[in-house]
Amino acid sequence: MRRVPSAPATSADTDYCCIPMKIQYRNDGLELEDVADETVAELATRCAERIGADVERVSLFFMPKPGFMKHPFSDRKLSDFLTPTTRIKLVGTPNAEVKKMDDMGAASRRIMRPSTFKPVKANKVRDWKKVQEESTYTFHAIEPLPYLPNPEKSRRYLERLANDPGIKASMRKNKFSVGLLTEMNPAEHTTHESKTLGLNRNRGEVIELRLRTDSYDGYRDYKVIRKTLCHELSHNVWGEHDRNFWDLTKQIEQEVERNDTLHGGHRLSSEEFYNPNDLYEDADHADSGGWTGGDFVLGRSKDGSNEEGLSRREIIARAAMARQQKAKQTRGQQEQETSPPS
């Protein structure tokens, strides 16, 4: 929704210049008529009708905020948060496609009667149930941080993780659905004691992964980050790092590694993000459990500062200053705790 006042507001009867709402859907854009005082639930219903889907099967993603929304949708008014720069993505499968996949899946499972014809080698039949599940239990949006160097390389990294056969198989089995898969800014999650490798916000609304090295000029090893993703997917179910969490994490890791064997495990050595000197250490994984509450704003740090438009040198300098400040605060707290009472 885009409402731009045509003149300074003087009363409740202010005239508005209405610009059609543009929504990204798959590779196309939908253009919807602007509706006054429309809610998120009403917009979701219109979008579902437009693509011929049940409203329960669609999701909306508002960027940079308030983020991912799915059924049941809220009655919050769009005018409360939409701005001229807000991007909206629609995720959903039309009922006709769902029926087609169901019909083809049923046909592939029928047992044919014995024939007098000479047996021939059967062609592989596409698993339509698997196709349908992969469109539901997936990462519905992928976005790198636009202000960090080389965001397209980060996008390729995230897309490779999302399309990893083991990750896809585990998401189908555990029915994991993630609104946004994005990268983490190392400057915000590094201290002299630890590095946070991943973060799961609101049980799968957003998963952030630490793709880059501290100096921003390189990327961490693919298998290390994939193991981090297994850790974060477990937070879709368990928030605390208790026995339930670690049991599920181990199960997901085994499912992912098993698919490596099925699909050929040697391919990683020649890939773009192969880094044999990078190691996964439990001490690095200081994510304090699943993070709950608040809005996630893409391209903005948790304290509200925005680094978009900064040069690579400025970003690196800011990262170094942030680490020094955190280290100084930690030392100050330690000195206070160890100093004798006066």
Side-chain angles (χ1 to χ4, degrees), residues 85-114:
T85 60
T86 301
R87 288 185 295 156
I88 308 175
K89 286 188 177 182
L90 168 66
V91 178
T93 306
N95 291 337
E97 290 185 14
V98 174
K99 184 177 185 304
K100 181 179 179 181
M101 288 188 287
D102 289 342
D103 292 344
M104 297 187 74
S108 69
R109 292 189 295 270
R110 291 195 189 105
I111 301 176
M112 305 302 293
R113 293 182 179 178

PDB file of all heavy atoms in Angstrom, residues 85-114:
ATOM      1  N   THR A  85       9.179   2.572   0.579  1.00  0.00           N
ATOM      2  CA  THR A  85      10.316   1.696   0.272  1.00  0.00           C
ATOM      3  C   THR A  85      10.070   0.239   0.683  1.00  0.00           C
ATOM      4  O   THR A  85      10.930  -0.610   0.476  1.00  0.00           O
ATOM      5  CB  THR A  85      11.581   2.193   0.991  1.00  0.00           C
ATOM      6  OG1 THR A  85      11.358   2.194   2.404  1.00  0.00           O
ATOM      7  CG2 THR A  85      11.937   3.600   0.525  1.00  0.00           C
ATOM      8  N   THR A  86       8.917  -0.052   1.269  1.00  0.00           N
ATOM      9  CA  THR A  86       8.625  -1.415   1.697  1.00  0.00           C
ATOM     10  C   THR A  86       8.478  -2.341   0.491  1.00  0.00           C
ATOM     11  O   THR A  86       7.808  -2.004  -0.484  1.00  0.00           O
ATOM     12  CB  THR A  86       7.330  -1.473   2.524  1.00  0.00           C
ATOM     13  OG1 THR A  86       7.466  -0.634   3.666  1.00  0.00           O
ATOM     14  CG2 THR A  86       7.050  -2.903   2.984  1.00  0.00           C
ATOM     15  N   ARG A  87       9.141  -3.495   0.572  1.00  0.00           N
ATOM     16  CA  ARG A  87       8.973  -4.531  -0.457  1.00  0.00           C
ATOM     17  C   ARG A  87       8.115  -5.653   0.112  1.00  0.00           C
ATOM     18  O   ARG A  87       8.272  -6.027   1.270  1.00  0.00           O
ATOM     19  CB  ARG A  87      10.330  -5.080  -0.896  1.00  0.00           C
ATOM     20  CG  ARG A  87      11.136  -4.102  -1.738  1.00  0.00           C
ATOM     21  CD  ARG A  87      12.403  -4.775  -2.235  1.00  0.00           C
ATOM     22  NE  ARG A  87      13.299  -5.125  -1.137  1.00  0.00           N
ATOM     23  CZ  ARG A  87      14.211  -6.085  -1.188  1.00  0.00           C
ATOM     24  NH1 ARG A  87      14.321  -6.829  -2.270  1.00  0.00           N
ATOM     25  NH2 ARG A  87      15.002  -6.320  -0.163  1.00  0.00           N
ATOM     26  N   ILE A  88       7.237  -6.204  -0.728  1.00  0.00           N
ATOM     27  CA  ILE A  88       6.338  -7.269  -0.287  1.00  0.00           C
ATOM     28  C   ILE A  88       6.530  -8.481  -1.194  1.00  0.00           C
ATOM     29  O   ILE A  88       6.494  -8.372  -2.415  1.00  0.00           O
ATOM     30  CB  ILE A  88       4.861  -6.824  -0.331  1.00  0.00           C
ATOM     31  CG1 ILE A  88       4.663  -5.509   0.421  1.00  0.00           C
ATOM     32  CG2 ILE A  88       3.965  -7.914   0.244  1.00  0.00           C
ATOM     33  CD1 ILE A  88       3.260  -4.951   0.306  1.00  0.00           C
ATOM     34  N   LYS A  89       6.770  -9.645  -0.569  1.00  0.00           N
ATOM     35  CA  LYS A  89       6.867 -10.897  -1.312  1.00  0.00           C
ATOM     36  C   LYS A  89       5.715 -11.805  -0.922  1.00  0.00           C
ATOM     37  O   LYS A  89       5.360 -11.896   0.258  1.00  0.00           O
ATOM     38  CB  LYS A  89       8.190 -11.607  -1.010  1.00  0.00           C
ATOM     39  CG  LYS A  89       9.408 -10.961  -1.656  1.00  0.00           C
ATOM     40  CD  LYS A  89      10.647 -11.825  -1.462  1.00  0.00           C
ATOM     41  CE  LYS A  89      11.851 -11.212  -2.165  1.00  0.00           C
ATOM     42  NZ  LYS A  89      13.066 -12.078  -2.030  1.00  0.00           N
ATOM     43  N   LEU A  90       5.139 -12.463  -1.918  1.00  0.00           N
ATOM     44  CA  LEU A  90       4.063 -13.425  -1.695  1.00  0.00           C
ATOM     45  C   LEU A  90       4.598 -14.822  -1.963  1.00  0.00           C
ATOM     46  O   LEU A  90       5.230 -15.062  -2.996  1.00  0.00           O
ATOM     47  CB  LEU A  90       2.884 -13.112  -2.626  1.00  0.00           C
ATOM     48  CG  LEU A  90       1.786 -14.178  -2.719  1.00  0.00           C
ATOM     49  CD1 LEU A  90       1.053 -14.320  -1.385  1.00  0.00           C
ATOM     50  CD2 LEU A  90       0.791 -13.817  -3.829  1.00  0.00           C
ATOM     51  N   VAL A  91       4.339 -15.726  -1.055  1.00  0.00           N
ATOM     52  CA  VAL A  91       4.727 -17.127  -1.218  1.00  0.00           C
ATOM     53  C   VAL A  91       3.463 -17.965  -1.134  1.00  0.00           C
ATOM     54  O   VAL A  91       2.678 -17.821  -0.190  1.00  0.00           O
ATOM     55  CB  VAL A  91       5.713 -17.573  -0.119  1.00  0.00           C
ATOM     56  CG1 VAL A  91       6.063 -19.046  -0.294  1.00  0.00           C
ATOM     57  CG2 VAL A  91       6.974 -16.725  -0.146  1.00  0.00           C
ATOM     58  N   GLY A  92       3.228 -18.815  -2.119  1.00  0.00           N
ATOM     59  CA  GLY A  92       2.029 -19.649  -2.096  1.00  0.00           C
ATOM     60  C   GLY A  92       1.929 -20.516  -3.337  1.00  0.00           C
ATOM     61  O   GLY A  92       2.516 -20.203  -4.375  1.00  0.00           O
ATOM     62  N   THR A  93       1.171 -21.587  -3.235  1.00  0.00           N
ATOM     63  CA  THR A  93       0.980 -22.518  -4.347  1.00  0.00           C
ATOM     64  C   THR A  93      -0.487 -22.535  -4.733  1.00  0.00           C
ATOM     65  O   THR A  93      -1.347 -22.815  -3.895  1.00  0.00           O
ATOM     66  CB  THR A  93       1.422 -23.939  -3.960  1.00  0.00           C
ATOM     67  OG1 THR A  93       2.773 -23.904  -3.481  1.00  0.00           O
ATOM     68  CG2 THR A  93       1.325 -24.877  -5.149  1.00  0.00           C
ATOM     69  N   PRO A  94      -0.813 -22.233  -6.014  1.00  0.00           N
ATOM     70  CA  PRO A  94      -2.204 -22.263  -6.466  1.00  0.00           C
ATOM     71  C   PRO A  94      -2.824 -23.642  -6.269  1.00  0.00           C
ATOM     72  O   PRO A  94      -2.146 -24.667  -6.371  1.00  0.00           O
ATOM     73  CB  PRO A  94      -2.106 -21.898  -7.948  1.00  0.00           C
ATOM     74  CG  PRO A  94      -0.811 -21.158  -8.077  1.00  0.00           C
ATOM     75  CD  PRO A  94       0.102 -21.779  -7.077  1.00  0.00           C
ATOM     76  N   ASN A  95      -4.139 -23.669  -6.016  1.00  0.00           N
ATOM     77  CA  ASN A  95      -4.827 -24.945  -5.800  1.00  0.00           C
ATOM     78  C   ASN A  95      -4.708 -25.861  -7.008  1.00  0.00           C
ATOM     79  O   ASN A  95      -4.633 -27.085  -6.862  1.00  0.00           O
ATOM     80  CB  ASN A  95      -6.309 -24.689  -5.500  1.00  0.00           C
ATOM     81  CG  ASN A  95      -6.510 -24.014  -4.149  1.00  0.00           C
ATOM     82  OD1 ASN A  95      -5.647 -24.112  -3.283  1.00  0.00           O
ATOM     83  ND2 ASN A  95      -7.618 -23.328  -3.981  1.00  0.00           N
ATOM     84  N   ALA A  96      -4.696 -25.290  -8.218  1.00  0.00           N
ATOM     85  CA  ALA A  96      -4.590 -26.107  -9.429  1.00  0.00           C
ATOM     86  C   ALA A  96      -3.267 -26.871  -9.453  1.00  0.00           C
ATOM     87  O   ALA A  96      -3.217 -28.039  -9.856  1.00  0.00           O
ATOM     88  CB  ALA A  96      -4.715 -25.225 -10.670  1.00  0.00           C
ATOM     89  N   GLU A  97      -2.189 -26.218  -9.017  1.00  0.00           N
ATOM     90  CA  GLU A  97      -0.889 -26.892  -8.983  1.00  0.00           C
ATOM     91  C   GLU A  97      -0.860 -27.971  -7.911  1.00  0.00           C
ATOM     92  O   GLU A  97      -0.281 -29.042  -8.107  1.00  0.00           O
ATOM     93  CB  GLU A  97       0.228 -25.874  -8.734  1.00  0.00           C
ATOM     94  CG  GLU A  97       0.479 -24.932  -9.900  1.00  0.00           C
ATOM     95  CD  GLU A  97       1.664 -24.024  -9.644  1.00  0.00           C
ATOM     96  OE1 GLU A  97       2.444 -24.303  -8.703  1.00  0.00           O
ATOM     97  OE2 GLU A  97       1.816 -23.028 -10.374  1.00  0.00           O
ATOM     98  N   VAL A  98      -1.475 -27.685  -6.771  1.00  0.00           N
ATOM     99  CA  VAL A  98      -1.525 -28.676  -5.698  1.00  0.00           C
ATOM    100  C   VAL A  98      -2.276 -29.916  -6.166  1.00  0.00           C
ATOM    101  O   VAL A  98      -1.837 -31.057  -5.952  1.00  0.00           O
ATOM    102  CB  VAL A  98      -2.204 -28.093  -4.444  1.00  0.00           C
ATOM    103  CG1 VAL A  98      -2.390 -29.169  -3.378  1.00  0.00           C
ATOM    104  CG2 VAL A  98      -1.379 -26.944  -3.878  1.00  0.00           C
ATOM    105  N   LYS A  99      -3.436 -29.703  -6.842  1.00  0.00           N
ATOM    106  CA  LYS A  99      -4.229 -30.839  -7.333  1.00  0.00           C
ATOM    107  C   LYS A  99      -3.454 -31.635  -8.379  1.00  0.00           C
ATOM    108  O   LYS A  99      -3.468 -32.877  -8.394  1.00  0.00           O
ATOM    109  CB  LYS A  99      -5.546 -30.342  -7.928  1.00  0.00           C
ATOM    110  CG  LYS A  99      -6.487 -31.467  -8.373  1.00  0.00           C
ATOM    111  CD  LYS A  99      -7.792 -30.918  -8.892  1.00  0.00           C
ATOM    112  CE  LYS A  99      -8.751 -32.056  -9.223  1.00  0.00           C
ATOM    113  NZ  LYS A  99      -8.188 -33.024 -10.186  1.00  0.00           N
ATOM    114  N   LYS A 100      -2.757 -30.922  -9.248  1.00  0.00           N
ATOM    115  CA  LYS A 100      -1.981 -31.601 -10.290  1.00  0.00           C
ATOM    116  C   LYS A 100      -0.896 -32.475  -9.676  1.00  0.00           C
ATOM    117  O   LYS A 100      -0.681 -33.620 -10.094  1.00  0.00           O
ATOM    118  CB  LYS A 100      -1.354 -30.565 -11.227  1.00  0.00           C
ATOM    119  CG  LYS A 100      -0.552 -31.171 -12.371  1.00  0.00           C
ATOM    120  CD  LYS A 100       0.018 -30.087 -13.268  1.00  0.00           C
ATOM    121  CE  LYS A 100       0.845 -30.708 -14.392  1.00  0.00           C
ATOM    122  NZ  LYS A 100       1.431 -29.657 -15.279  1.00  0.00           N
ATOM    123  N   MET A 101      -0.204 -31.931  -8.653  1.00  0.00           N
ATOM    124  CA  MET A 101       0.840 -32.708  -7.997  1.00  0.00           C
ATOM    125  C   MET A 101       0.251 -33.917  -7.274  1.00  0.00           C
ATOM    126  O   MET A 101       0.822 -35.013  -7.298  1.00  0.00           O
ATOM    127  CB  MET A 101       1.632 -31.820  -7.030  1.00  0.00           C
ATOM    128  CG  MET A 101       2.540 -30.815  -7.731  1.00  0.00           C
ATOM    129  SD  MET A 101       3.642 -29.931  -6.613  1.00  0.00           S
ATOM    130  CE  MET A 101       2.488 -28.826  -5.808  1.00  0.00           C
ATOM    131  N   ASP A 102      -0.928 -33.727  -6.630  1.00  0.00           N
ATOM    132  CA  ASP A 102      -1.576 -34.846  -5.944  1.00  0.00           C
ATOM    133  C   ASP A 102      -1.984 -35.926  -6.940  1.00  0.00           C
ATOM    134  O   ASP A 102      -1.792 -37.122  -6.690  1.00  0.00           O
ATOM    135  CB  ASP A 102      -2.801 -34.355  -5.173  1.00  0.00           C
ATOM    136  CG  ASP A 102      -2.428 -33.534  -3.948  1.00  0.00           C
ATOM    137  OD1 ASP A 102      -1.261 -33.626  -3.518  1.00  0.00           O
ATOM    138  OD2 ASP A 102      -3.297 -32.801  -3.437  1.00  0.00           O
ATOM    139  N   ASP A 103      -2.570 -35.494  -8.075  1.00  0.00           N
ATOM    140  CA  ASP A 103      -3.030 -36.458  -9.083  1.00  0.00           C
ATOM    141  C   ASP A 103      -1.861 -37.231  -9.674  1.00  0.00           C
ATOM    142  O   ASP A 103      -1.931 -38.456  -9.856  1.00  0.00           O
ATOM    143  CB  ASP A 103      -3.802 -35.743 -10.195  1.00  0.00           C
ATOM    144  CG  ASP A 103      -5.135 -35.183  -9.708  1.00  0.00           C
ATOM    145  OD1 ASP A 103      -5.577 -35.602  -8.616  1.00  0.00           O
ATOM    146  OD2 ASP A 103      -5.719 -34.336 -10.405  1.00  0.00           O
ATOM    147  N   MET A 104      -0.787 -36.523  -9.992  1.00  0.00           N
ATOM    148  CA  MET A 104       0.368 -37.197 -10.593  1.00  0.00           C
ATOM    149  C   MET A 104       1.052 -38.103  -9.587  1.00  0.00           C
ATOM    150  O   MET A 104       1.575 -39.171  -9.937  1.00  0.00           O
ATOM    151  CB  MET A 104       1.344 -36.161 -11.142  1.00  0.00           C
ATOM    152  CG  MET A 104       0.764 -35.327 -12.262  1.00  0.00           C
ATOM    153  SD  MET A 104       1.952 -34.228 -13.060  1.00  0.00           S
ATOM    154  CE  MET A 104       2.901 -35.399 -14.024  1.00  0.00           C
ATOM    155  N   GLY A 105       1.037 -37.699  -8.312  1.00  0.00           N
ATOM    156  CA  GLY A 105       1.606 -38.562  -7.289  1.00  0.00           C
ATOM    157  C   GLY A 105       0.809 -39.840  -7.131  1.00  0.00           C
ATOM    158  O   GLY A 105       1.365 -40.933  -6.981  1.00  0.00           O
ATOM    159  N   ALA A 106      -0.542 -39.694  -7.183  1.00  0.00           N
ATOM    160  CA  ALA A 106      -1.385 -40.883  -7.069  1.00  0.00           C
ATOM    161  C   ALA A 106      -1.189 -41.807  -8.266  1.00  0.00           C
ATOM    162  O   ALA A 106      -1.156 -43.032  -8.128  1.00  0.00           O
ATOM    163  CB  ALA A 106      -2.850 -40.463  -6.962  1.00  0.00           C
ATOM    164  N   ALA A 107      -1.059 -41.210  -9.452  1.00  0.00           N
ATOM    165  CA  ALA A 107      -0.876 -42.023 -10.664  1.00  0.00           C
ATOM    166  C   ALA A 107       0.430 -42.798 -10.615  1.00  0.00           C
ATOM    167  O   ALA A 107       0.516 -43.947 -11.064  1.00  0.00           O
ATOM    168  CB  ALA A 107      -0.912 -41.119 -11.893  1.00  0.00           C
ATOM    169  N   SER A 108       1.456 -42.156 -10.068  1.00  0.00           N
ATOM    170  CA  SER A 108       2.754 -42.834 -10.022  1.00  0.00           C
ATOM    171  C   SER A 108       2.772 -43.991  -9.039  1.00  0.00           C
ATOM    172  O   SER A 108       3.632 -44.863  -9.111  1.00  0.00           O
ATOM    173  CB  SER A 108       3.845 -41.827  -9.652  1.00  0.00           C
ATOM    174  OG  SER A 108       3.689 -41.405  -8.313  1.00  0.00           O
ATOM    175  N   ARG A 109       1.804 -44.002  -8.106  1.00  0.00           N
ATOM    176  CA  ARG A 109       1.778 -45.069  -7.112  1.00  0.00           C
ATOM    177  C   ARG A 109       0.870 -46.240  -7.498  1.00  0.00           C
ATOM    178  O   ARG A 109       0.798 -47.237  -6.780  1.00  0.00           O
ATOM    179  CB  ARG A 109       1.324 -44.494  -5.759  1.00  0.00           C
ATOM    180  CG  ARG A 109       2.337 -43.530  -5.129  1.00  0.00           C
ATOM    181  CD  ARG A 109       1.947 -43.173  -3.710  1.00  0.00           C
ATOM    182  NE  ARG A 109       0.702 -42.417  -3.651  1.00  0.00           N
ATOM    183  CZ  ARG A 109       0.649 -41.088  -3.700  1.00  0.00           C
ATOM    184  NH1 ARG A 109       1.761 -40.393  -3.842  1.00  0.00           N
ATOM    185  NH2 ARG A 109      -0.504 -40.467  -3.625  1.00  0.00           N
ATOM    186  N   ARG A 110       0.131 -46.085  -8.585  1.00  0.00           N
ATOM    187  CA  ARG A 110      -0.764 -47.179  -9.003  1.00  0.00           C
ATOM    188  C   ARG A 110       0.042 -48.406  -9.419  1.00  0.00           C
ATOM    189  O   ARG A 110       1.083 -48.297 -10.065  1.00  0.00           O
ATOM    190  CB  ARG A 110      -1.643 -46.731 -10.169  1.00  0.00           C
ATOM    191  CG  ARG A 110      -2.680 -45.681  -9.788  1.00  0.00           C
ATOM    192  CD  ARG A 110      -3.733 -45.562 -10.861  1.00  0.00           C
ATOM    193  NE  ARG A 110      -4.605 -44.434 -10.602  1.00  0.00           N
ATOM    194  CZ  ARG A 110      -4.562 -43.289 -11.254  1.00  0.00           C
ATOM    195  NH1 ARG A 110      -3.687 -43.123 -12.225  1.00  0.00           N
ATOM    196  NH2 ARG A 110      -5.388 -42.314 -10.942  1.00  0.00           N
ATOM    197  N   ILE A 111      -0.466 -49.543  -9.083  1.00  0.00           N
ATOM    198  CA  ILE A 111       0.187 -50.806  -9.462  1.00  0.00           C
ATOM    199  C   ILE A 111      -0.400 -51.264 -10.793  1.00  0.00           C
ATOM    200  O   ILE A 111      -1.606 -51.504 -10.907  1.00  0.00           O
ATOM    201  CB  ILE A 111      -0.036 -51.880  -8.386  1.00  0.00           C
ATOM    202  CG1 ILE A 111       0.527 -51.404  -7.050  1.00  0.00           C
ATOM    203  CG2 ILE A 111       0.587 -53.207  -8.811  1.00  0.00           C
ATOM    204  CD1 ILE A 111       0.273 -52.359  -5.913  1.00  0.00           C
ATOM    205  N   MET A 112       0.450 -51.377 -11.794  1.00  0.00           N
ATOM    206  CA  MET A 112       0.001 -51.786 -13.119  1.00  0.00           C
ATOM    207  C   MET A 112      -0.189 -53.301 -13.160  1.00  0.00           C
ATOM    208  O   MET A 112       0.524 -54.048 -12.500  1.00  0.00           O
ATOM    209  CB  MET A 112       1.033 -51.348 -14.168  1.00  0.00           C
ATOM    210  CG  MET A 112       1.348 -49.867 -14.135  1.00  0.00           C
ATOM    211  SD  MET A 112      -0.095 -48.818 -14.386  1.00  0.00           S
ATOM    212  CE  MET A 112      -0.477 -49.235 -16.094  1.00  0.00           C
ATOM    213  N   ARG A 113      -1.153 -53.753 -13.959  1.00  0.00           N
ATOM    214  CA  ARG A 113      -1.395 -55.188 -14.108  1.00  0.00           C
ATOM    215  C   ARG A 113      -0.261 -55.829 -14.893  1.00  0.00           C
ATOM    216  O   ARG A 113       0.353 -55.198 -15.756  1.00  0.00           O
ATOM    217  CB  ARG A 113      -2.715 -55.424 -14.856  1.00  0.00           C
ATOM    218  CG  ARG A 113      -3.942 -54.994 -14.061  1.00  0.00           C
ATOM    219  CD  ARG A 113      -5.195 -55.291 -14.844  1.00  0.00           C
ATOM    220  NE  ARG A 113      -6.387 -54.918 -14.102  1.00  0.00           N
ATOM    221  CZ  ARG A 113      -7.626 -55.046 -14.579  1.00  0.00           C
ATOM    222  NH1 ARG A 113      -7.805 -55.533 -15.794  1.00  0.00           N
ATOM    223  NH2 ARG A 113      -8.650 -54.685 -13.835  1.00  0.00           N
ATOM    224  N   PRO A 114       0.006 -57.124 -14.610  1.00  0.00           N
ATOM    225  CA  PRO A 114       1.043 -57.815 -15.375  1.00  0.00           C
ATOM    226  C   PRO A 114       0.737 -57.778 -16.858  1.00  0.00           C
ATOM    227  O   PRO A 114      -0.413 -57.882 -17.284  1.00  0.00           O
ATOM    228  CB  PRO A 114       0.992 -59.249 -14.829  1.00  0.00           C
ATOM    229  CG  PRO A 114       0.361 -59.113 -13.480  1.00  0.00           C
ATOM    230  CD  PRO A 114      -0.595 -57.973 -13.579  1.00  0.00           C
TER     231      PRO A 114
END
